[in-house]
Amino acid sequence: RSSITDLNNRILSDTTCSLYEQGMDAVEGGFTSQFFPVFNGRVYAADDFVVPADAQWDVVQIIAPGTKNEDAIREVAITFFDNSADNLPNKIIYEDTITRPVADHEDANLMITLDPSRPLELSPGTYWVSLTPVLRFNGRRGRWFHARTPCSSDDEPFYWRDVSNIFGTGRTQWTPATEFSPTNCKLAFSVIANDLNDVTPCFGANDVSDRGPSIPTIGEWGIIILALSLIIMTMIAYKMIEEDRSSVTS
């Protein structure tokens, strides 16, 4: 099986796929989701995704488009919640702060790879994810906005929570996005994972193998060697024929 390596040097197999994708090709304006160290406060924008029945996901990476102001994003906190009986973000089941590669500091679009020493395996069910870059407010220079995407009246909206009431809105509990964004009430993001119950290689839109060069499998090496052998044998035969022709005419 071929393998690839992402920017954080985590080995990904050819079964590492985009298993859940939402709104990546229809991005609208963003909404604040961020940890503010100067206020020691966190503002969450969280959206849900579903691990289907009979699946077991080993989550590798979350990709989230967004926009930012001037300051570079060096650290991003990633939080996963389970689902409450009321279909809200509930208990935190995974939380970590990831240092981004230097090359990504100025990029507002987040590609956050989980620490392989802290794996996250998800059984079937509904979960919520929130990305909160660690940025000082710094006179509005330090801001990040998670991109939103259009939604219908049947869609479950993303939820927003300003834990410390930094913005003074009083929304210290989970608040549906439809209260302030009725038409763009979903967040754009993608969940990259291995389905431990399905070893089928990725194809088409779910293929993430463009992140690095593939290493040929044993079977592929065999085909390459056979092809090279045939080329060499053909060249030798051609040379022998040419030598025979020259001996006849000389």
Side-chain angles (χ1 to χ4, degrees):
R1 180 178 299 168
S2 62
S3 63
I4 53 179
T5 308
D6 73 350
L7 289 175
N8 286 8
N9 296 319
R10 177 167 180 175
I11 300 299
L12 309 178
S13 74
D14 56 4
T15 58
T16 304
C17 309
S18 177
L19 295 182
Y20 185 91
E21 192 167 294
Q22 175 174 285
M24 298 293 283
D25 57 351
V27 172
E28 302 290 341
F31 211 82
T32 295
S33 188
Q34 183 175 332
F35 177 71
F36 296 90
V38 67
F39 304 121
N40 193 30
R42 192 179 305 276
V43 178
Y44 292 105
D47 211 339
D48 64 332
F49 64 94
V50 176
V51 178
D54 301 323
Q56 185 77 18
W57 288 5
D58 167 31
V59 178
V60 173
Q61 191 175 73
I62 300 294
I63 299 174
T67 57
K68 72 176 187 66
N69 291 353
E70 291 90 340
D71 287 357
I73 301 174
R74 293 176 170 81
E75 292 184 315
V76 180
I78 184 167
T79 309
F80 290 85
F81 307 84
D82 64 10
N83 191 46
S84 73
D86 298 326
N87 289 323
L88 296 173
N90 192 28
K91 295 179 181 178
I92 293 176
I93 60 171
Y94 184 98
E95 190 170 39
D96 200 5
T97 298
I98 308 297
T99 300
R100 304 179 79 199
V102 174
D104 289 354
H105 286 178
E106 298 300 331
D107 193 349
N109 298 315
L110 305 182
M111 181 185 290
I112 305 303
T113 304
L114 274 60
D115 184 346
S117 68
R118 297 191 58 211
L120 173 63
E121 292 187 10
L122 300 177
S123 55
T126 299
Y127 301 90
W128 298 75
V129 63
S130 179
L131 297 178
T132 50
V134 180
L135 286 166
R136 296 170 52 232
F137 187 72
N138 194 19
R140 298 185 63 85
R141 290 172 57 88
R143 298 291 305 278
W144 184 74
F145 307 91
H146 195 152
R148 294 173 291 170
T149 190
C151 59
S152 69
S153 58
D154 296 329
D155 287 330
E156 180 72 32
F158 77 85
Y159 278 74
W160 194 74
R161 184 184 181 192
D162 182 354
V163 179
S164 303
N165 200 29
I166 293 172
F167 289 94
T169 65
R171 295 187 172 107
T172 57
Q173 301 301 315
W174 292 110
T175 304
T178 45
E179 287 196 10
F180 41 80
S181 180
T183 58
N184 295 318
C185 69
K186 299 293 289 181
L187 297 178
F189 70 100
S190 179
V191 180
I192 310 300
N194 294 303
D195 186 347
L196 302 179
N197 294 341
D198 184 359
V199 295
T200 305
C202 307
F203 294 101
N206 288 340
D207 189 358
V208 296
S209 60
D210 60 347
R211 288 188 232 160
S214 294
I215 300 174
T217 62
I218 293 175
E220 291 169 341
W221 275 120
I223 294 172
I224 292 171
I225 292 171
L226 178 60
L228 289 173
S229 299
L230 290 173
I231 292 172
I232 293 171
M233 291 174 64
T234 300
M235 292 176 65
I236 292 173
Y238 180 78
K239 184 176 181 181
M240 292 175 64
I241 292 171
E242 289 297 312
E243 288 176 351
D244 287 343
R245 286 177 177 173
S246 62
S247 65
V248 170
T249 55
S250 59

